[in-house]
Amino acid sequence: MASLQIIVFDVCGIECALRRNAVRELLPLPRLWRPPGTPQPVAGFFNLGGAAIPVVRLDRLFGLEQGETLPEADLYRHLILIEGLTGTNPTAFLVDRVQDLAEVSPSQLSPVTEQGTLNGCVEAEIDLDGGLVHLLSLERILFAEEQQALAELGRQAQNRLSEWAVTA
């Protein structure tokens, strides 16, 4: 079996990873807008080339909030842009910091049973430089109902963004 490239990131002091081929882009945190009534795990939306991109806070989604953070901390936070989670438009995960791109061998992976994590969102644990990294399953980070709700919120945000589009 070939080696696996992963993006390693931090969420409230817990090291997690996604498969590199699942990640479209890594971005600094832009200014977000957050409509009233948006669920707590949704940090808001940003405009990426005319598309309203929903941003999911992994700390809140996983119940790992550290309390209030200083606004300066946002300078170091990152977005991990992924495709296909809620339909045609990308979705972004807000993390504390992207740390590394790493290549791991199959011998470094220890599978995790689906019952061992919420919705089976951790597919494996990785021994990386003596530390434990949780490899997240992109397909199981959100429940199906959460994916549908996020897709609907994304459609609403896109409609709002489109209303303000300047036509030539």
Side-chain angles (χ1 to χ4, degrees):
M1 185 175 183
S3 62
L4 172 69
Q5 284 191 332
I6 58 171
I7 303 287
V8 181
F9 54 93
D10 177 77
V11 179
C12 294
I14 297 173
E15 286 191 331
C16 298
L18 287 170
R19 294 172 184 272
R20 169 61 187 99
N21 62 1
V23 176
R24 174 175 154 183
E25 198 169 347
L26 303 172
L27 302 167
L29 180 60
R31 181 171 296 245
L32 304 176
W33 87 84
R34 190 168 191 274
T38 303
Q40 284 300 311
V42 179
F45 297 85
F46 71 100
N47 181 347
L48 181 65
I53 307 299
V55 177
V56 176
R57 288 186 58 161
L58 289 183
D59 60 345
R60 288 192 175 159
L61 184 69
F62 296 151
L64 299 172
E65 291 182 78
Q66 295 178 341
E68 290 300 313
T69 58
L70 298 173
E72 298 85 37
D74 284 346
L75 294 172
Y76 303 102
R77 298 183 88 188
H78 291 116
L79 295 181
I80 300 175
L81 196 64
I82 55 163
E83 295 284 352
L85 187 63
T86 60
T88 57
N89 279 345
T91 300
F93 293 132
L94 177 60
V95 300
D96 292 336
R97 187 140 184 91
V98 172
Q99 297 174 331
D100 201 3
L101 169 65
E103 196 160 318
V104 295
S105 68
S107 65
Q108 293 172 275
L109 296 171
S110 298
V112 175
T113 63
E114 193 170 325
Q115 297 79 19
T117 64
L118 178 65
N119 200 35
C121 67
V122 176
E123 66 179 85
E125 293 177 338
I126 303 169
D127 178 9
L128 190 62
D129 300 326
L132 185 66
V133 177
H134 303 285
L135 180 61
L136 302 178
S137 168
L138 189 58
E139 296 79 21
R140 295 188 303 244
I141 288 176
L142 295 175
F143 292 121
E145 298 83 4
E146 291 169 330
Q147 290 178 24
Q148 291 171 350
L150 191 59
E152 179 55 32
L153 289 169
R155 282 189 286 279
Q156 292 171 11
Q158 185 63 51
N159 289 341
R160 180 176 179 191
L161 186 61
S162 297
E163 289 176 5
W164 290 89
V166 178
T167 57

